[in-house]
Amino acid sequence: MKQKIILVMSLLTVSVMLALVTFLYAALRPRALSSSFGITDNAPRAPELAAGSWLNSDPLTLKGLRGRVVLLEFWTYGCYNCTNTLPTVKRWDERYRERGLTIIGVHSPEFDSEKQIENVRRQVRSHGIRYPVVTDNEHTTWRAYDVGAWPTLILLDKQGRIRYTRVGEGKYDQTENVIKTLLAEQADGATEQTKAGANSINEPLAAVARASAGGGKGAGAGVSEKVIKTDEEWRQALTPEQFHVLREKGTERAFTGAYWDHHEAGGYTCAACGLALFNSEAKFDSSTGWPSFREPISQHSIETETDVSYGMARTEVLCRRCGSHLGHVFDDGPAPTGLRYCINSVSLKFVKQS
C-alpha cells in the first residue's frame, strides 16, 4: 500500500512539473496564432528595421519609404500558417506595388536551421516571393514591434505610423480594405473626403459623448481630438494606480474596484481623458469582480488590439481618444451582443445621471 501511495505521489509530481514546463514554454516562445487583429487611429511611429541580410532588394529603410504604404510581414518559412498566408500577400504585392504599397517580409526564425541565409534564399525562391525580405535572426525587429506570433501583418501609413495589426491567418478582405484606405490617404494622413467631412462626421459622436458624460469638463470632447501626453505628463495627471492600469496596461485586483458592484444610473467616461465610453444600461453582473458591459456607447469610442501576453491571445480594449488601456472584451456575455467588456474600475469615472 505504501508503495502505491509513493507511486501515485510521484506521478502527480511529474504531471505538475510537465504542466509548469508547458505553460512556461507557451508563454515565453513566439507562437503561431490564427484569428486576432487590431486597427488603430492613435498611430505610433514605427520603429526602424534592424540590420539584416536583404533578399530581392538593396537594404531599405522606413524613412526612405515615407510617402508609400508599407506592409511588414513577420514570418518564418517553417510556419504552416505563414505558408498559408503567402499567396494572399504575393497577390497584394502584384496588385498594389505600382499604386504605392511596399511589402517587406521580416523573416524571424524559430529554429537554428531557419537562420541560415541559404535556406531562407531557397525558400524565398521556391515560394515565388518577389518582394523584399530581410532576415531578423536575433528577433530585434520582432521585439521592437512587440510581435508575439507568426504570421503577423503590420501596416504603416505614408507617414511611417503603425495603423493596423493582424495576427494569424484569415480576414484577408479586411486587411486589403485597410491597404486601399491607406493608399487613398494623402501624405498628411487624410483623404480629401475626410478633410471635407470631418466636422460633420465627428459632431454627432461628440454630442453622444456630451450627453452621456453630463457635460463635465473634458467629458464632451470629440473623438477626433486626440489626447497625446508624455509619460511624465500622464504621471502628473493620474494617480499611481491609474497610471499603472491606464498607461502601463496593468490590471486591478478583482472585487477591489469602485464599480464592480455599482448600480447607479449614469455614464462611465475614460478616467484619463473624459471620453464617454459606457452607460449603466449596458452594465451587468458578471460575477468576475470587474465592471462588465454588453457594449460601449459607440464603437467609435473604443478601439481594440491583440494582446498576446501571458501565453494567451486576448482582445484588449483601449480608449480611442487617448489610447489608454481599459480592459479586455470576451465573447461570453449576455444577449443581444454576446460580448463581455471586462473593464478596470480605475480606468473609468462615473457620471451620475441628472
Side-chain angles (χ1 to χ4, degrees), residues 117-136:
I117 187 61
E118 288 305 321
N119 292 341
V120 178
R121 182 176 287 111
R122 185 182 306 110
Q123 292 295 327
V124 167
R125 186 167 53 249
S126 67
H127 286 294
I129 298 172
R130 298 182 179 180
Y131 50 82
V133 172
V134 60
T135 58
D136 186 32

Side-chain angles (χ1 to χ4, degrees), residues 142-315:
W142 172 288
R143 289 192 297 271
Y145 283 83
D146 198 25
V147 177
W150 298 286
T152 291
L153 305 178
I154 298 178
L155 274 167
L156 316 182
D157 63 16
K158 296 176 183 179
Q159 300 179 71
R161 302 176 304 172
I162 299 173
R163 295 287 294 279
Y164 175 88
T165 299
R166 166 72 194 172
V167 182
E169 297 181 59
K171 298 289 183 181
Y172 299 127
D173 290 342
Q174 176 179 349
T175 303
E176 185 167 2
N177 285 336
V178 177
I179 291 173
K180 290 189 285 189
T181 298
L182 296 181
L183 287 172
E185 286 184 347
Q186 305 296 317
D188 61 358
T191 63
E192 293 301 323
Q193 182 179 3
T194 301
K195 292 177 180 178
N199 292 334
S200 61
I201 292 172
N202 290 318
E203 180 52 35
L205 187 58
V208 171
R210 288 193 294 269
S212 173
K217 181 180 180 181
V223 177
S224 61
E225 302 169 16
K226 296 291 186 181
V227 174
I228 301 175
K229 297 182 180 181
T230 64
D231 282 348
E232 184 57 35
E233 289 173 329
W234 281 122
R235 287 184 188 278
Q236 294 177 7
L238 304 171
T239 67
E241 184 181 13
Q242 286 176 326
F243 182 83
H244 173 61
V245 174
L246 287 160
R247 307 308 305 177
E248 296 182 324
K249 301 182 185 295
T251 302
E252 67 190 9
R253 289 187 294 116
F255 302 102
T256 63
Y259 302 130
W260 75 270
D261 194 28
H262 185 255
H263 304 288
E264 285 188 90
Y268 295 83
T269 67
C270 174
C273 71
L275 178 66
L277 301 172
F278 302 93
N279 63 45
S280 57
E281 294 180 357
K283 194 171 185 290
F284 68 96
D285 182 9
S286 64
S287 301
T288 61
W290 290 281
S292 298
F293 303 88
R294 293 189 301 272
E295 59 187 355
I297 286 178
S298 167
Q299 289 297 332
H300 296 287
S301 297
I302 64 166
E303 58 188 9
T304 59
E305 292 185 356
T306 301
D307 177 4
V308 292
S309 59
Y310 302 107
M312 65 185 79
R314 297 177 294 171
T315 302

